[in-house]
Amino acid sequence: MNKIYIISGPAGVGKSTTSKGLAEQFDHSAYIEGDLINHMVVGGYLPPWKSEESSSLIWENIADLSINFLQANKTVII
């Protein structure tokens, strides 16, 4: 059974490095980088800390990607 790992913390503490390293430990894994999802919105962009709508959209997209990867038998690291 595949799992989802969520790595969280303040800026600059090594979340991305840790997440990528963790993802490499699995034979079948996917790494979802929240900042990349956030930066997909260009026109009308508002930072997630200024807009509940932006924050919700980011997490909805992360959830949908996670489901897709789990259905493809991947362990997901966010």
Side-chain angles (χ1 to χ4, degrees), residues 14-37:
K15 295 181 300 294
S16 295
T17 302
T18 299
S19 297
K20 289 174 190 173
L22 179 60
E24 291 171 354
Q25 300 302 306
F26 297 98
D27 290 331
H28 304 283
S29 64
Y31 168 50
I32 301 173
E33 190 171 346
D35 285 343
L36 292 177
I37 305 298

Side-chain angles (χ1 to χ4, degrees), residues 47-69:
W49 60 89
K50 289 188 176 182
S51 168
E52 180 63 33
E53 184 179 339
S54 292
S55 181
S56 293
L57 181 60
I58 292 165
W59 281 106
E60 286 174 27
N61 284 318
I62 289 172
D64 287 342
L65 281 170
S66 297
I67 290 166
N68 292 339
F69 284 128

